[in-house]
Amino acid sequence: MFSLAGSAFAADPVTIQLWAVDRPDQPTPALVEDFNASHTDIKVQYRQLQFADLMSDVMRAYAVGKAPDIYAVDVPFNAMMAAKGALLDLTDMVNSSKVINIDDYYSGPIASAMWDGKLYGVPKSTNTIALYYNADMLKSAGITEPPKTWDELYEDAKKLTDKKKGIYGLAFSAQATEEGTFQFLPWVQMAGGSWDQVNTEGGVKALRLWKKFLDEGLASPDTISRSQWDSTSTFIAGNAAMSISGPWELDRMSKEAKFDYKVALLPVPEESATRSSAMGDYNWVVFKSTKHPKETFKVLEYLAEQDKDMFQRFGQLPPEQNITIPSTGDPKKDRALQAFQEQLKYARPRGPSPEWPKISKAIQDALQAALTGASSPKEALDQAQVVIDRVTQ
């Protein structure tokens, strides 16, 4: 006799849609595959988005009721999505979780996921910026340690610049994109300003210093147009003695840099000043429209559990400060990693603000106006402040 018992009644797995920008060699596709191999009650389907279409694709899908369950949002846009009412409040779920503990994370990534006192995301991974320097060049110039203050950075850049050899003292990015804001905002913060107060005395001082680097030829003229990747390429090629960049460059650095590279914390205005740095990467968020919040959160917990292996497997820094990264076998890389993990303690999010795109654009415009000489640093930041005040008040 035919039996209807047993597997014939086995429930179909719950399907969870997860969207991110990760390519096949990056974490998400591999973690989805691992999850599906170890779970029978939930199946995760992954869709890769293009970075340029990241927000437009997902918000268009949300508008027509076809949003994914889980989405990896670029951190400065987490608050914008939460303020629009698009995201599920994860506060109670996280507080009850035996896997995810907010206190384990660096403060910057958690702050980026907060809006109106509630948690609307779980950090996926994190990064920051610090000062790479060519220890061989510093030694040849008689500089015994990396610069700790802005004045020391300027003086060292002058000593290290060799225009005949095409060597600049410093490489950084002031591009009119989010990368320019990412690189500049820590300088404002270290000098007592903030993302919503950029035209402070300290902010103006920071922009004047950046302009000084360009006006005196201590940094390349195309600093205003090239990306962080391109500016770091100048450093790796031996055409810049110092570079402001992040841990995403470590693999390339270890393979291509033919010198003793090291990493130091970003110089501060003066030794007693508060430290700061940029904070980037992505947060996992859950759309409010999900029909499976319990199962979706189970997937988030699984992803968070894998953070302990994030750097060894994928070269990305975990957002938890209590994770010890084992030795890579490369002393230079290990030393640099320690510096970046120290810098992460001071990293701050951009915002959070639902108006972040407009705020960032105002900062980018100020950089371009000041560094091209179209406006003075004070005039440029005053104009940016007008825009910021208008969209935040």
Side-chain angles (χ1 to χ4, degrees):
M1 177 183 284
F2 178 72
S3 173
L4 296 177
S7 61
F9 280 110
D12 291 334
V14 171
T15 299
I16 301 299
Q17 300 289 336
L18 187 157
W19 294 4
V21 296
D22 287 15
R23 303 183 303 270
D25 61 333
Q26 292 179 314
T28 304
L31 296 181
V32 166
E33 185 177 338
D34 293 347
F35 180 91
N36 288 336
S38 59
H39 293 74
T40 57
D41 56 333
I42 303 171
K43 179 182 179 182
V44 180
Q45 292 183 344
Y46 176 60
R47 176 182 169 186
Q48 180 187 345
L49 302 178
Q50 298 303 310
F51 182 78
D53 304 319
L54 189 58
M55 285 300 297
S56 59
D57 279 1
V58 79
M59 293 309 290
R60 190 181 304 115
Y62 173 70
V64 297
K66 295 184 178 180
D69 300 278
I70 302 173
Y71 171 62
V73 63
D74 196 4
V75 289
F77 304 106
N78 201 142
M80 182 178 74
M81 295 179 69
K84 288 180 179 293
L87 302 182
L88 186 67
D89 176 7
L90 301 176
T91 309
D92 291 341
M93 287 183 176
V94 169
N95 287 341
S96 301
S97 177
K98 295 180 180 179
V99 175
I100 301 172
N101 183 353
I102 285 182
D103 293 337
D104 290 342
Y105 290 80
Y106 291 103
S107 60
I110 288 295
S112 74
M114 300 292 294
W115 179 248
D116 199 22
K118 297 178 181 179
L119 186 71
Y120 288 94
V122 174
K124 174 180 181 286
S125 54
T126 193
N127 62 46
T128 190
I129 51 175
L131 183 73
Y132 283 94
Y133 64 98
N134 184 323
D136 296 334
M137 283 190 181
L138 265 68
K139 184 177 180 180
S140 296
I143 301 170
T144 58
E145 60 182 7
K148 294 183 173 65
T149 66
W150 291 2
D151 285 345
E152 290 176 2
L153 180 66
Y154 169 69
E155 293 300 330
D156 287 353
K158 282 203 299 184
K159 292 178 184 176
L160 293 162
T161 296
D162 190 330
K163 295 179 181 179
K164 291 182 179 179
K165 294 182 179 179
I167 298 173
Y168 295 100
L170 181 65
F172 60 98
S173 174
Q175 192 179 43
T177 66
E178 190 66 28
E179 291 192 15
T181 306
F182 185 74
Q183 289 238 329
F184 181 65
L185 196 53
W187 296 69
V188 175
Q189 293 165 340
M190 287 188 285
S194 61
W195 61 268
D196 57 349
Q197 290 292 326
V198 297
N199 67 335
T200 60
E201 182 180 345
V204 174
K205 179 182 177 182
L207 190 47
R208 282 175 179 155
L209 179 60
W210 272 32
K211 183 170 172 54
K212 205 172 179 180
F213 282 122
L214 268 68
D215 288 350
E216 296 184 17
L218 310 182
S220 172
D222 64 1
T223 296
I224 60 172
S225 60
R226 38 177 203 178
S227 66
Q228 295 178 105
W229 178 269
D230 291 334
S231 65
T232 308
S233 296
T234 302
F235 175 75
I236 293 174
N239 295 118
M242 299 179 287
S243 176
I244 297 171
S245 196
W248 57 84
E249 296 285 10
L250 285 174
D251 283 344
R252 183 164 68 130
M253 201 76 67
S254 63
K255 293 173 184 174
E256 299 179 20
K258 307 302 182 185
F259 52 83
D260 184 15
Y261 73 88
K262 294 182 179 180
V263 177
L265 300 183
L266 287 180
V268 291
E270 56 275 327
E271 290 196 23
S272 60
T274 301
R275 290 196 177 279
S276 182
S277 187
M279 195 214 79
D281 226 290
Y282 296 85
N283 293 334
W284 297 117
V285 296
V286 177
F287 271 92
K288 202 173 186 177
S289 55
T290 181
K291 296 178 181 178
H292 307 287
K294 182 180 176 181
E295 291 83 359
T296 296
F297 190 72
K298 188 174 179 179
V299 176
L300 284 191
E301 288 185 314
Y302 177 86
L303 294 171
E305 278 188 300
Q306 313 316 308
D307 287 349
K308 62 185 183 301
D309 302 319
M310 185 64 70
F311 190 83
Q312 297 94 297
R313 290 186 67 184
F314 307 107
Q316 296 187 4
L317 289 180
E320 296 95 334
Q321 57 188 331
N322 62 335
I323 291 177
T324 300
I325 298 176
S327 173
T328 64
D330 180 342
K332 292 181 185 178
K333 200 172 184 179
D334 289 346
R335 190 173 56 203
L337 272 171
Q338 290 176 0
F340 278 116
Q341 287 186 292
E342 177 68 20
Q343 186 76 82
L344 271 168
K345 295 177 182 178
Y346 311 104
R348 304 186 207 174
R350 283 158 282 165
S353 170
E355 300 294 343
W356 183 254
K358 295 176 183 177
I359 293 166
S360 182
K361 179 65 164 55
I363 295 171
Q364 296 163 31
D365 289 347
L367 292 179
Q368 294 293 305
L371 298 181
T372 60
S375 301
S376 71
K378 186 177 189 312
E379 290 168 343
L381 290 175
D382 282 346
Q383 180 56 40
Q385 193 64 50
V386 169
V387 176
I388 294 169
D389 288 344
R390 184 169 62 242
V391 300
T392 57
Q393 294 176 0

